[in-house]
Coordinates of all heavy atoms in Angstrom, one line a residue:
M13 N 1.8 18.0 -4.5 CA 2.4 19.2 -4.1 C 1.8 19.8 -2.8 O 2.5 20.2 -1.9 CB 2.3 20.2 -5.3 CG 3.1 21.4 -5.1 SD 3.5 22.3 -6.6 CE 2.2 23.5 -6.6
L14 N 0.5 19.8 -2.7 CA -0.1 20.3 -1.5 C 0.2 19.5 -0.3 O 0.5 20.0 0.8 CB -1.7 20.4 -1.7 CG -2.5 20.8 -0.5 CD1 -2.0 22.2 0.0 CD2 -3.9 20.8 -0.8
T15 N 0.3 18.1 -0.5 CA 0.7 17.2 0.5 C 2.0 17.6 1.1 O 2.3 17.6 2.3 CB 0.6 15.8 0.0 OG1 -0.7 15.5 -0.5 CG2 0.9 14.8 1.1
Q16 N 3.0 17.9 0.2 CA 4.3 18.2 0.6 C 4.3 19.5 1.4 O 5.0 19.6 2.4 CB 5.3 18.4 -0.6 CG 5.5 17.1 -1.4 CD 6.3 17.3 -2.7 OE1 6.3 18.4 -3.2 NE2 6.8 16.3 -3.2
V17 N 3.6 20.5 1.0 CA 3.5 21.8 1.7 C 2.9 21.5 3.1 O 3.4 22.0 4.1 CB 2.6 22.8 1.0 CG1 2.3 24.0 1.8 CG2 3.2 23.2 -0.3
L18 N 1.9 20.7 3.2 CA 1.3 20.4 4.5 C 2.2 19.7 5.4 O 2.3 20.0 6.6 CB 0.0 19.6 4.3 CG -1.2 20.4 3.7 CD1 -2.4 19.4 3.4 CD2 -1.7 21.5 4.5
R19 N 3.0 18.7 4.9 CA 4.0 18.0 5.7 C 5.1 18.9 6.2 O 5.5 18.7 7.3 CB 4.6 16.9 4.9 CG 3.7 15.7 4.7 CD 4.5 14.5 4.2 NE 3.6 13.6 3.5 CZ 3.7 13.0 2.4 NH1 4.8 13.3 1.7 NH2 2.8 12.2 1.9
R20 N 5.5 19.8 5.4 CA 6.6 20.7 5.8 C 6.2 21.9 6.7 O 7.0 22.5 7.4 CB 7.3 21.2 4.6 CG 8.2 20.2 3.9 CD 9.0 20.8 2.8 NE 8.3 20.5 1.6 CZ 8.4 21.1 0.5 NH1 9.2 22.2 0.4 NH2 7.8 20.8 -0.6
S21 N 4.9 22.2 6.7 CA 4.4 23.3 7.4 C 4.4 23.0 8.9 O 4.0 21.9 9.3 CB 3.0 23.7 6.9 OG 2.5 24.7 7.7
R22 N 4.7 24.0 9.7 CA 4.6 23.9 11.2 C 3.1 24.0 11.6 O 2.7 23.6 12.6 CB 5.4 25.0 11.9 CG 6.8 24.8 11.7 CD 7.6 25.9 12.4 NE 9.0 25.8 12.1 CZ 9.9 26.2 12.9 NH1 9.6 26.8 14.1 NH2 11.2 26.1 12.6
H23 N 2.3 24.6 10.7 CA 0.9 24.8 10.9 C 0.1 24.3 9.8 O -0.5 25.1 9.0 CB 0.6 26.3 11.2 CG 1.5 26.9 12.2 ND1 1.3 26.6 13.6 CD2 2.6 27.7 12.1 CE1 2.3 27.2 14.3 NE2 3.0 27.9 13.4
P24 N 0.0 23.0 9.6 CA -0.7 22.4 8.4 C -2.2 22.8 8.3 O -2.7 23.0 7.2 CB -0.5 20.9 8.5 CG -0.2 20.7 9.9 CD 0.5 21.9 10.4
L25 N -2.8 23.0 9.4 CA -4.2 23.4 9.4 C -4.4 24.8 8.9 O -5.4 25.1 8.2 CB -4.9 23.2 10.8 CG -5.0 21.8 11.3 CD1 -5.6 21.7 12.7 CD2 -5.8 20.9 10.3
T26 N -3.5 25.7 9.2 CA -3.5 27.0 8.7 C -3.3 27.0 7.2 O -4.0 27.7 6.5 CB -2.4 27.9 9.4 OG1 -2.6 27.8 10.8 CG2 -2.4 29.3 8.9
V27 N -2.4 26.2 6.7 CA -2.1 26.1 5.3 C -3.4 25.6 4.6 O -3.8 26.1 3.6 CB -0.9 25.2 5.0 CG1 -0.8 25.0 3.5 CG2 0.4 25.9 5.5
F28 N -4.0 24.6 5.2 CA -5.2 24.0 4.6 C -6.3 25.0 4.5 O -7.0 25.1 3.5 CB -5.6 22.8 5.5 CG -6.7 22.0 4.9 CD1 -6.5 21.2 3.7 CD2 -8.0 22.0 5.4 CE1 -7.5 20.4 3.2 CE2 -9.0 21.3 4.9 CZ -8.8 20.5 3.8
A29 N -6.5 25.8 5.6 CA -7.5 26.8 5.6 C -7.3 27.9 4.6 O -8.2 28.3 3.9 CB -7.6 27.4 7.0
K30 N -6.0 28.2 4.4 CA -5.7 29.2 3.4 C -6.0 28.7 2.0 O -6.5 29.4 1.1 CB -4.2 29.7 3.5 CG -3.9 30.5 4.7 CD -2.4 30.9 4.7 CE -2.1 31.7 6.0 NZ -0.7 32.1 6.1
V31 N -5.6 27.4 1.7 CA -5.9 26.8 0.4 C -7.4 26.8 0.2 O -7.8 27.1 -0.9 CB -5.2 25.4 0.3 CG1 -5.7 24.7 -0.9 CG2 -3.7 25.5 0.3
N32 N -8.1 26.4 1.2 CA -9.6 26.4 1.0 C -10.1 27.7 0.7 O -11.1 27.9 -0.1 CB -10.3 25.8 2.2 CG -10.3 24.3 2.2 OD1 -10.2 23.7 1.1 ND2 -10.3 23.6 3.4
D33 N -9.6 28.8 1.4 CA -10.0 30.1 1.1 C -9.7 30.5 -0.3 O -10.6 31.2 -1.0 CB -9.4 31.1 2.1 CG -9.9 32.5 2.0 OD1 -11.2 32.6 2.0 OD2 -9.1 33.4 1.9
I34 N -8.6 30.2 -0.8 CA -8.2 30.5 -2.2 C -9.1 29.8 -3.1 O -9.6 30.4 -4.1 CB -6.7 30.1 -2.5 CG1 -5.8 31.1 -1.7 CG2 -6.4 30.2 -4.0 CD1 -4.4 30.6 -1.6
L35 N -9.4 28.5 -2.9 CA -10.3 27.8 -3.8 C -11.7 28.4 -3.8 O -12.4 28.5 -4.8 CB -10.4 26.3 -3.4 CG -9.1 25.5 -3.6 CD1 -9.2 24.1 -3.0 CD2 -8.8 25.5 -5.1
R36 N -12.2 28.8 -2.6 CA -13.5 29.5 -2.5 C -13.5 30.8 -3.4 O -14.5 31.0 -4.1 CB -13.8 29.8 -1.1 CG -15.2 30.5 -0.9 CD -15.4 31.0 0.5 NE -14.4 31.9 1.0 CZ -14.2 33.1 0.6 NH1 -15.0 33.7 -0.3 NH2 -13.2 33.9 1.1
Q37 N -12.4 31.5 -3.3 CA -12.3 32.8 -4.0 C -12.3 32.5 -5.5 O -13.0 33.2 -6.3 CB -11.1 33.6 -3.7 CG -11.1 34.2 -2.3 CD -9.8 34.8 -1.9 OE1 -9.2 35.5 -2.7 NE2 -9.4 34.7 -0.6
I38 N -11.6 31.4 -5.9 CA -11.6 31.0 -7.3 C -13.0 30.7 -7.8 O -13.5 31.1 -8.9 CB -10.6 29.9 -7.6 CG1 -9.2 30.4 -7.4 CG2 -10.8 29.3 -9.0 CD1 -8.1 29.3 -7.4
D39 N -13.7 29.9 -7.0 CA -15.1 29.5 -7.3 C -16.0 30.7 -7.5 O -17.0 30.7 -8.3 CB -15.7 28.6 -6.2 CG -15.1 27.2 -6.2 OD1 -14.6 26.8 -7.3 OD2 -15.3 26.5 -5.2
E40 N -15.7 31.8 -6.8 CA -16.6 33.0 -6.9 C -16.2 33.9 -8.1 O -17.0 34.8 -8.4 CB -16.4 33.9 -5.6 CG -17.0 33.2 -4.4 CD -16.7 33.9 -3.1 OE1 -16.1 35.0 -3.2 OE2 -17.1 33.4 -2.0
L41 N -15.2 33.5 -8.8 CA -14.8 34.3 -10.0 C -15.8 34.0 -11.2 O -16.4 33.0 -11.2 CB -13.4 33.9 -10.5 CG -12.2 34.4 -9.6 CD1 -10.9 33.8 -10.1 CD2 -12.1 35.9 -9.5
S42 N -15.8 34.9 -12.1 CA -16.5 34.7 -13.4 C -15.8 33.6 -14.1 O -14.6 33.2 -13.8 CB -16.5 35.9 -14.2 OG -15.2 36.3 -14.6
E43 N -16.4 33.1 -15.2 CA -15.8 32.0 -16.0 C -14.5 32.6 -16.6 O -13.5 31.8 -16.6 CB -16.7 31.6 -17.1 CG -16.1 30.4 -18.0 CD -15.8 29.2 -17.2 OE1 -16.4 28.8 -16.2 OE2 -14.7 28.6 -17.5
L44 N -14.5 33.8 -17.0 CA -13.3 34.4 -17.6 C -12.2 34.5 -16.5 O -11.0 34.2 -16.8 CB -13.6 35.8 -18.1 CG -12.5 36.6 -18.8 CD1 -12.0 35.8 -20.0 CD2 -12.9 38.0 -19.2
G45 N -12.5 34.8 -15.3 CA -11.6 34.9 -14.2 C -11.0 33.5 -13.9 O -9.8 33.4 -13.7
R46 N -11.9 32.5 -13.9 CA -11.4 31.1 -13.6 C -10.5 30.6 -14.7 O -9.5 30.0 -14.5 CB -12.6 30.2 -13.4 CG -13.3 30.4 -12.1 CD -14.3 29.3 -11.8 NE -15.3 29.2 -12.7 CZ -16.5 29.9 -12.7 NH1 -16.7 30.7 -11.7 NH2 -17.4 29.7 -13.6
E47 N -10.8 31.0 -16.0 CA -9.9 30.6 -17.1 C -8.6 31.3 -17.0 O -7.5 30.7 -17.2 CB -10.6 31.0 -18.4 CG -9.8 30.6 -19.6 CD -9.6 29.1 -19.7 OE1 -10.4 28.3 -19.2 OE2 -8.5 28.7 -20.4
F48 N -8.5 32.6 -16.5 CA -7.3 33.2 -16.3 C -6.4 32.5 -15.2 O -5.2 32.3 -15.4 CB -7.5 34.7 -15.9 CG -6.3 35.4 -15.6 CD1 -5.4 35.9 -16.6 CD2 -5.9 35.7 -14.2 CE1 -4.3 36.6 -16.3 CE2 -4.7 36.3 -13.9 CZ -3.9 36.8 -14.9
V49 N -7.1 32.1 -14.1 CA -6.4 31.4 -13.1 C -5.8 30.1 -13.6 O -4.7 29.7 -13.3 CB -7.3 31.2 -11.8 CG1 -6.7 30.2 -10.8 CG2 -7.7 32.5 -11.2
R50 N -6.6 29.3 -14.4 CA -6.2 28.1 -14.9 C -5.0 28.3 -15.8 O -4.0 27.5 -15.7 CB -7.3 27.4 -15.7 CG -8.3 26.7 -14.9 CD -9.2 25.8 -15.8 NE -10.2 26.6 -16.5 CZ -11.4 27.0 -16.0 NH1 -11.8 26.6 -14.8 NH2 -12.3 27.7 -16.8
K51 N -5.0 29.3 -16.6 CA -3.8 29.5 -17.5 C -2.6 29.9 -16.7 O -1.5 29.4 -17.0 CB -4.2 30.6 -18.5 CG -5.1 30.2 -19.6 CD -5.4 31.3 -20.6 CE -6.3 30.8 -21.7 NZ -6.7 31.9 -22.6
R52 N -2.7 30.7 -15.7 CA -1.6 31.1 -14.9 C -1.0 29.9 -14.1 O 0.2 29.8 -14.0 CB -2.0 32.2 -13.9 CG -2.2 33.6 -14.5 CD -0.8 34.2 -15.0 NE 0.0 34.5 -13.9 CZ 1.3 34.1 -13.8 NH1 1.9 33.4 -14.7 NH2 2.0 34.3 -12.7
L53 N -1.9 29.1 -13.6 CA -1.5 27.9 -12.9 C -0.7 27.0 -13.8 O 0.3 26.4 -13.5 CB -2.6 27.2 -12.2 CG -3.2 27.9 -11.0 CD1 -4.5 27.2 -10.5 CD2 -2.2 28.0 -9.9
K54 N -1.2 26.8 -15.0 CA -0.6 26.0 -16.0 C 0.8 26.5 -16.4 O 1.8 25.8 -16.5 CB -1.5 25.9 -17.3 CG -0.9 25.0 -18.3 CD -1.9 24.9 -19.5 CE -1.3 24.0 -20.6 NZ -2.2 23.9 -21.8
Q55 N 0.9 27.9 -16.5 CA 2.2 28.5 -16.8 C 3.2 28.2 -15.7 O 4.3 27.9 -15.9 CB 2.0 30.0 -17.0 CG 1.4 30.4 -18.3 CD 1.1 31.9 -18.4 OE1 1.1 32.6 -17.4 NE2 0.8 32.3 -19.6
K56 N 2.7 28.4 -14.4 CA 3.5 28.2 -13.3 C 4.0 26.8 -13.2 O 5.2 26.5 -12.9 CB 2.7 28.6 -12.0 CG 3.5 28.5 -10.7 CD 3.4 29.8 -9.9 CE 4.2 29.7 -8.6 NZ 5.6 29.8 -8.8
L57 N 3.1 25.9 -13.4 CA 3.5 24.4 -13.3 C 4.6 24.1 -14.4 O 5.5 23.4 -14.1 CB 2.3 23.6 -13.6 CG 2.5 22.1 -13.5 CD1 3.0 21.7 -12.1 CD2 1.2 21.4 -13.8
E58 N 4.4 24.7 -15.6 CA 5.4 24.5 -16.7 C 6.7 25.1 -16.3 O 7.8 24.5 -16.5 CB 4.9 25.1 -18.0 CG 5.9 25.0 -19.1 CD 6.1 23.5 -19.6 OE1 5.3 22.7 -19.3 OE2 7.2 23.3 -20.2
Q59 N 6.7 26.3 -15.7 CA 8.0 26.9 -15.2 C 8.7 26.1 -14.2 O 9.9 25.9 -14.2 CB 7.7 28.3 -14.7 CG 7.3 29.3 -15.7 CD 6.8 30.6 -15.1 OE1 6.5 30.7 -13.9 NE2 6.7 31.6 -16.0
E60 N 7.9 25.5 -13.2 CA 8.5 24.7 -12.2 C 9.0 23.4 -12.7 O 10.1 23.0 -12.3 CB 7.4 24.4 -11.1 CG 7.0 25.6 -10.3 CD 5.9 25.4 -9.3 OE1 5.4 24.2 -9.2 OE2 5.5 26.3 -8.6
W61 N 8.3 22.8 -13.7 CA 8.8 21.6 -14.3 C 10.1 21.9 -15.1 O 11.0 21.1 -15.0 CB 7.7 21.1 -15.3 CG 8.1 19.7 -15.9 CD1 7.8 18.5 -15.3 CD2 8.8 19.5 -17.1 NE1 8.3 17.5 -16.1 CE2 9.0 18.1 -17.2 CE3 9.4 20.4 -18.0 CZ2 9.6 17.6 -18.3 CZ3 10.1 19.8 -19.1 CH2 10.2 18.4 -19.2
Q62 N 10.1 23.0 -15.8 CA 11.3 23.3 -16.6 C 12.5 23.5 -15.6 O 13.7 23.0 -15.9 CB 11.1 24.5 -17.5 CG 10.2 24.3 -18.6 CD 10.7 23.4 -19.7 OE1 11.9 23.1 -19.8 NE2 9.8 22.8 -20.4
A63 N 12.3 24.2 -14.5 CA 13.4 24.4 -13.5 C 13.9 23.1 -12.9 O 15.1 22.9 -12.8 CB 12.9 25.4 -12.4
A64 N 12.9 22.2 -12.6 CA 13.3 20.9 -12.0 C 14.0 20.1 -13.0 O 15.0 19.4 -12.7 CB 12.0 20.2 -11.5
A65 N 13.6 20.1 -14.3 CA 14.3 19.4 -15.4 C 15.7 19.9 -15.6 O 16.6 19.1 -15.7 CB 13.5 19.4 -16.7
A66 N 15.9 21.2 -15.5 CA 17.2 21.8 -15.7 C 18.1 21.3 -14.5 O 19.3 21.0 -14.8 CB 17.1 23.3 -15.8
E67 N 17.6 21.4 -13.4 CA 18.3 20.9 -12.2 C 18.7 19.5 -12.3 O 19.9 19.1 -12.0 CB 17.5 21.2 -10.9 CG 18.2 20.8 -9.6 CD 17.4 21.0 -8.4 OE1 16.4 21.7 -8.5 OE2 17.7 20.4 -7.4
M68 N 17.8 18.6 -12.7 CA 18.1 17.2 -12.9 C 19.2 17.0 -14.0 O 20.0 16.1 -13.8 CB 16.9 16.4 -13.2 CG 15.9 16.3 -12.0 SD 16.6 15.3 -10.6 CE 16.9 16.6 -9.5
R69 N 19.1 17.7 -15.1 CA 20.1 17.6 -16.2 C 21.4 17.9 -15.6 O 22.4 17.3 -15.9 CB 19.7 18.4 -17.4 CG 18.6 17.8 -18.2 CD 18.4 18.5 -19.6 NE 17.9 19.9 -19.4 CZ 16.6 20.2 -19.3 NH1 15.7 19.2 -19.4 NH2 16.2 21.4 -19.2
T70 N 21.5 19.0 -14.9 CA 22.8 19.4 -14.3 C 23.4 18.3 -13.4 O 24.5 18.0 -13.5 CB 22.7 20.8 -13.5 OG1 22.2 21.8 -14.5 CG2 24.0 21.2 -12.9
K71 N 22.5 17.8 -12.5 CA 23.0 16.7 -11.6 C 23.4 15.5 -12.4 O 24.5 14.9 -12.0 CB 21.8 16.3 -10.6 CG 21.6 17.3 -9.5 CD 20.5 16.7 -8.6 CE 20.3 17.6 -7.4 NZ 19.2 17.1 -6.5
A72 N 22.7 15.2 -13.4 CA 23.0 14.0 -14.2 C 24.4 14.2 -14.9 O 25.2 13.3 -14.9 CB 22.0 13.7 -15.3
E73 N 24.6 15.4 -15.4 CA 25.9 15.7 -16.0 C 27.0 15.6 -15.1 O 28.1 15.1 -15.4 CB 25.8 17.1 -16.7 CG 27.0 17.5 -17.5 CD 26.8 18.8 -18.2 OE1 25.8 19.1 -18.7 OE2 27.8 19.6 -18.1
V74 N 26.8 16.2 -13.9 CA 27.9 16.2 -12.8 C 28.2 14.7 -12.5 O 29.4 14.4 -12.2 CB 27.5 17.0 -11.6 CG1 28.4 16.7 -10.4 CG2 27.5 18.5 -11.9
E75 N 27.2 13.9 -12.4 CA 27.4 12.5 -12.0 C 27.7 11.6 -13.1 O 27.9 10.3 -13.0 CB 26.1 12.0 -11.3 CG 25.9 12.7 -10.0 CD 24.6 12.3 -9.3 OE1 24.0 11.2 -9.6 OE2 24.2 13.0 -8.3
G76 N 27.9 12.1 -14.3 CA 28.3 11.3 -15.5 C 27.2 10.5 -16.1 O 27.4 9.5 -16.8
V77 N 25.9 10.8 -15.9 CA 24.8 10.1 -16.4 C 24.5 10.7 -17.8 O 24.2 11.9 -17.9 CB 23.6 10.2 -15.5 CG1 22.4 9.5 -16.2 CG2 23.9 9.6 -14.2
D78 N 24.6 9.9 -18.8 CA 24.3 10.4 -20.2 C 23.1 9.5 -20.7 O 22.6 8.7 -20.1 CB 25.5 10.4 -21.1 CG 26.1 9.0 -21.3 OD1 25.5 8.0 -20.9 OD2 27.2 8.9 -21.8
Q79 N 22.8 9.8 -22.0 CA 21.6 9.1 -22.6 C 21.9 7.6 -22.6 O 21.0 6.8 -22.4 CB 21.3 9.7 -23.9 CG 20.0 9.1 -24.5 CD 18.8 9.5 -23.6 OE1 18.7 10.7 -23.2 NE2 17.9 8.6 -23.3
R80 N 23.1 7.2 -22.9 CA 23.5 5.8 -22.9 C 23.2 5.1 -21.6 O 22.6 4.0 -21.6 CB 24.9 5.6 -23.3 CG 25.4 4.1 -23.4 CD 26.9 4.0 -23.5 NE 27.6 4.7 -22.4 CZ 27.8 4.2 -21.2 NH1 27.2 3.1 -20.8 NH2 28.4 4.9 -20.3
V81 N 23.6 5.7 -20.5 CA 23.3 5.2 -19.2 C 21.8 5.1 -18.9 O 21.3 4.1 -18.4 CB 24.0 6.0 -18.1 CG1 23.6 5.6 -16.7 CG2 25.5 6.0 -18.3
I82 N 21.1 6.1 -19.3 CA 19.6 6.1 -19.1 C 19.0 5.0 -19.9 O 18.2 4.2 -19.4 CB 19.0 7.4 -19.5 CG1 19.5 8.5 -18.6 CG2 17.5 7.4 -19.6 CD1 19.2 9.9 -19.0
D83 N 19.4 4.8 -21.2 CA 18.9 3.7 -22.1 C 19.2 2.4 -21.5 O 18.3 1.5 -21.5 CB 19.5 3.8 -23.5 CG 19.0 5.0 -24.2 OD1 18.0 5.7 -23.8 OD2 19.6 5.4 -25.2
E84 N 20.4 2.2 -20.9 CA 20.7 0.9 -20.3 C 19.9 0.6 -19.1 O 19.5 -0.5 -18.8 CB 22.2 0.8 -20.0 CG 23.1 0.7 -21.3 CD 24.5 0.7 -21.0 OE1 25.0 0.7 -19.8 OE2 25.3 0.6 -22.0
A85 N 19.6 1.6 -18.3 CA 18.8 1.5 -17.1 C 17.3 1.1 -17.5 O 16.7 0.2 -16.9 CB 18.8 2.8 -16.3
V86 N 16.8 1.7 -18.6 CA 15.5 1.4 -19.1 C 15.5 -0.1 -19.5 O 14.6 -0.8 -19.2 CB 15.1 2.3 -20.2 CG1 13.8 1.8 -20.9 CG2 14.9 3.7 -19.7
E87 N 16.5 -0.5 -20.3 CA 16.6 -1.9 -20.7 C 16.6 -2.9 -19.5 O 16.0 -3.9 -19.5 CB 17.8 -2.1 -21.6 CG 17.7 -1.4 -23.0 CD 16.6 -1.9 -23.8 OE1 16.3 -3.1 -23.9 OE2 15.9 -1.1 -24.5
Q88 N 17.4 -2.5 -18.6 CA 17.6 -3.3 -17.4 C 16.2 -3.5 -16.7 O 15.8 -4.6 -16.3 CB 18.6 -2.7 -16.4 CG 18.7 -3.4 -15.1 CD 19.3 -4.8 -15.2 OE1 20.2 -5.1 -16.0 NE2 18.8 -5.7 -14.3
T89 N 15.5 -2.4 -16.6 CA 14.2 -2.4 -15.9 C 13.2 -3.2 -16.7 O 12.4 -4.0 -16.2 CB 13.7 -1.0 -15.7 OG1 14.6 -0.3 -14.9 CG2 12.3 -0.9 -15.0
R90 N 13.1 -3.0 -18.0 CA 12.2 -3.7 -18.9 C 12.4 -5.2 -19.0 O 11.5 -6.0 -19.0 CB 12.2 -3.1 -20.3 CG 11.5 -1.8 -20.4 CD 11.4 -1.3 -21.8 NE 10.8 0.0 -22.0 CZ 10.9 0.7 -23.0 NH1 11.6 0.3 -24.1 NH2 10.3 1.9 -23.1
Y91 N 13.7 -5.5 -19.3 CA 14.0 -6.9 -19.7 C 14.9 -7.6 -18.8 O 15.2 -8.8 -19.0 CB 14.7 -6.8 -21.1 CG 13.9 -6.1 -22.1 CD1 14.3 -4.9 -22.6 CD2 12.6 -6.5 -22.5 CE1 13.6 -4.2 -23.6 CE2 11.8 -5.8 -23.5 CZ 12.3 -4.7 -24.0 OH 11.6 -4.0 -24.9
G92 N 15.3 -7.0 -17.7 CA 16.1 -7.6 -16.7 C 17.6 -7.9 -17.1 O 18.3 -8.7 -16.6
K93 N 18.0 -7.2 -18.2 CA 19.4 -7.3 -18.7 C 19.8 -6.0 -19.3 O 19.0 -5.2 -19.7 CB 19.5 -8.4 -19.7 CG 18.7 -8.1 -21.0 CD 18.9 -9.2 -22.0 CE 18.1 -8.9 -23.3 NZ 18.4 -9.8 -24.3
V94 N 21.1 -5.8 -19.3 CA 21.6 -4.6 -19.9 C 22.0 -4.9 -21.3 O 22.7 -5.9 -21.6 CB 22.9 -4.1 -19.1 CG1 23.5 -2.9 -19.9 CG2 22.6 -3.8 -17.7
V95 N 21.4 -4.1 -22.2 CA 21.8 -4.2 -23.6 C 22.7 -3.1 -23.9 O 22.4 -2.0 -23.9 CB 20.5 -4.1 -24.5 CG1 20.8 -4.2 -26.0 CG2 19.5 -5.1 -24.1
P96 N 24.0 -3.5 -24.2 CA 25.0 -2.4 -24.5 C 24.5 -1.5 -25.6 O 23.8 -1.9 -26.6 CB 26.2 -3.2 -24.9 CG 26.1 -4.6 -24.3 CD 24.6 -4.8 -24.3
A97 N 25.0 -0.3 -25.6 CA 24.6 0.7 -26.5 C 24.9 0.3 -27.9 O 24.1 0.6 -28.9 CB 25.2 2.1 -26.2
A98 N 26.0 -0.4 -28.1 CA 26.4 -0.8 -29.5 C 25.4 -1.7 -30.1 O 25.0 -1.6 -31.3 CB 27.8 -1.5 -29.4
E99 N 24.8 -2.6 -29.3 CA 23.8 -3.5 -29.8 C 22.5 -2.8 -30.0 O 21.7 -3.2 -30.9 CB 23.5 -4.7 -28.8 CG 24.6 -5.7 -28.7 CD 24.3 -6.8 -27.8 OE1 23.1 -7.2 -27.6 OE2 25.2 -7.4 -27.2
Q100 N 22.2 -1.8 -29.2 CA 20.9 -1.0 -29.4 C 20.9 -0.3 -30.8 O 19.8 -0.1 -31.3 CB 20.7 0.0 -28.3 CG 20.5 -0.6 -27.0 CD 20.4 0.4 -25.9 OE1 20.3 1.6 -26.2 NE2 20.4 0.0 -24.6
A101 N 22.1 0.1 -31.3 CA 22.1 0.8 -32.5 C 21.8 0.0 -33.7 O 21.5 0.5 -34.8 CB 23.5 1.5 -32.6
R102 N 21.9 -1.3 -33.6 CA 21.7 -2.2 -34.7 C 20.3 -2.3 -35.2 O 19.3 -2.1 -34.7 CB 22.1 -3.7 -34.4 CG 23.6 -3.8 -34.2 CD 23.9 -5.2 -34.0 NE 25.1 -5.3 -33.2 CZ 25.5 -6.4 -32.6 NH1 24.8 -7.5 -32.7 NH2 26.6 -6.4 -31.9

């Protein structure tokens, strides 16, 4: 994630310096403060993951990708062949 931010930034060194400053500030917190930061970061990551998952589900639905298509792609990747959904149910 940080790598993506640095790549997109017009001033990657400024971003890097800000991140280092934030990390320094976190290091200066009490253990309770660091635990609070860890919990908030975990919550934020989960929210971002949920939003990305919802976006991908919407895209998949629009493109007609359902669980059967996903299962067949997994079979193709694992075994080099497509196992029709009817055979998978057996």
Side-chain angles (χ1 to χ4, degrees):
M13 190 158 94
L14 178 58
T15 305
Q16 292 172 343
V17 170
L18 291 173
R19 279 191 205 136
R20 284 186 261 158
S21 174
R22 292 180 186 206
H23 307 287
L25 294 178
T26 303
V27 172
F28 188 72
K30 287 179 182 179
V31 168
N32 277 335
D33 186 48
I34 292 168
L35 292 173
R36 182 189 53 73
Q37 291 176 38
I38 291 170
D39 287 341
E40 293 174 1
L41 292 172
S42 66
E43 183 58 36
L44 185 61
R46 286 192 299 274
E47 182 61 26
F48 176 78
V49 170
R50 279 191 285 272
K51 285 180 180 179
R52 285 292 294 130
L53 288 172
K54 185 177 177 181
Q55 289 172 347
K56 180 129 180 79
L57 183 61
E58 178 66 19
Q59 290 169 347
E60 289 175 359
W61 185 90
Q62 291 292 339
E67 181 181 340
M68 290 294 108
R69 282 191 292 275
T70 299
K71 282 183 179 181
E73 188 177 312
V74 167
E75 294 178 14
V77 176
D78 59 11
Q79 191 61 48
R80 180 190 54 78
V81 173
I82 293 168
D83 292 344
E84 288 178 1
V86 168
E87 292 295 323
Q88 174 69 34
T89 300
R90 283 186 184 162
Y91 307 112
K93 64 179 182 174
V94 175
V95 178
E99 287 184 31
Q100 291 177 12
R102 289 187 211 165

